[in-house]
């Protein structure tokens, strides 16, 4: 179940990132916060061009889902 869920989420994330980068050409997902915090010198130099940079960037992500309960406890009878 975990690998099936991971594959589905990965497809969805891929579609969303592609749409943000190539259709909307904007980084509305808050990824700029990572750049701002982890690479402050780069951010200060390039923040005015962030949408352009984001639209051309390679975005790497990793999906890791752990199912700990299927939610069958305490259901309505």
């Amino acid at each position: 179940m975990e690998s099936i869920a991971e594959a589905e989420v990965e497809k969805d994330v891929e579609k969303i990132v592609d749409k943000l980068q190539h259709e909307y050409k904007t980084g509305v997902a808050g990824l700029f916060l990572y750049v701002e915090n982890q690479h402050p010198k780069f951010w200060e130099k390039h923040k005015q061009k962030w949408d352009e940079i984001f639209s051309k960037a390679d975005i790497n992500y990793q999906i890791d889902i752990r199912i700990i309960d299927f939610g069958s406890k305490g259901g309505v009878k």
Side-chain angles (χ1 to χ4, degrees):
M1 290 300 294
E2 290 172 346
S3 62
I4 293 169
E6 286 174 356
E8 287 298 315
V9 169
E10 187 171 355
K11 285 192 296 187
D12 290 345
V13 169
E14 189 175 301
K15 287 178 191 175
I16 291 167
V17 170
D18 184 67
K19 188 170 239 177
L20 287 172
Q21 284 188 289
H22 302 112
E23 187 174 327
Y24 297 124
K25 296 186 190 248
T26 185
V28 297
L31 293 175
F32 74 92
L33 293 172
Y34 171 82
V35 177
E36 184 178 25
N37 290 321
Q38 299 298 315
H39 306 284
K41 290 179 184 178
F42 178 88
W43 176 251
E44 282 303 314
K45 185 175 180 182
H46 301 292
K47 66 182 173 182
Q48 299 300 324
K49 297 180 181 180
W50 174 246
D51 289 339
E52 179 184 342
I53 291 168
F54 174 77
S55 70
K56 296 175 182 175
D58 290 330
I59 307 294
N60 299 308
Y61 51 89
Q62 182 177 356
I63 309 299
D64 185 20
I65 295 178
R66 298 286 178 237
I67 298 173
I68 57 171
D69 193 349
F70 283 95
S72 61
K73 294 184 227 173
V76 177
K77 293 181 181 180

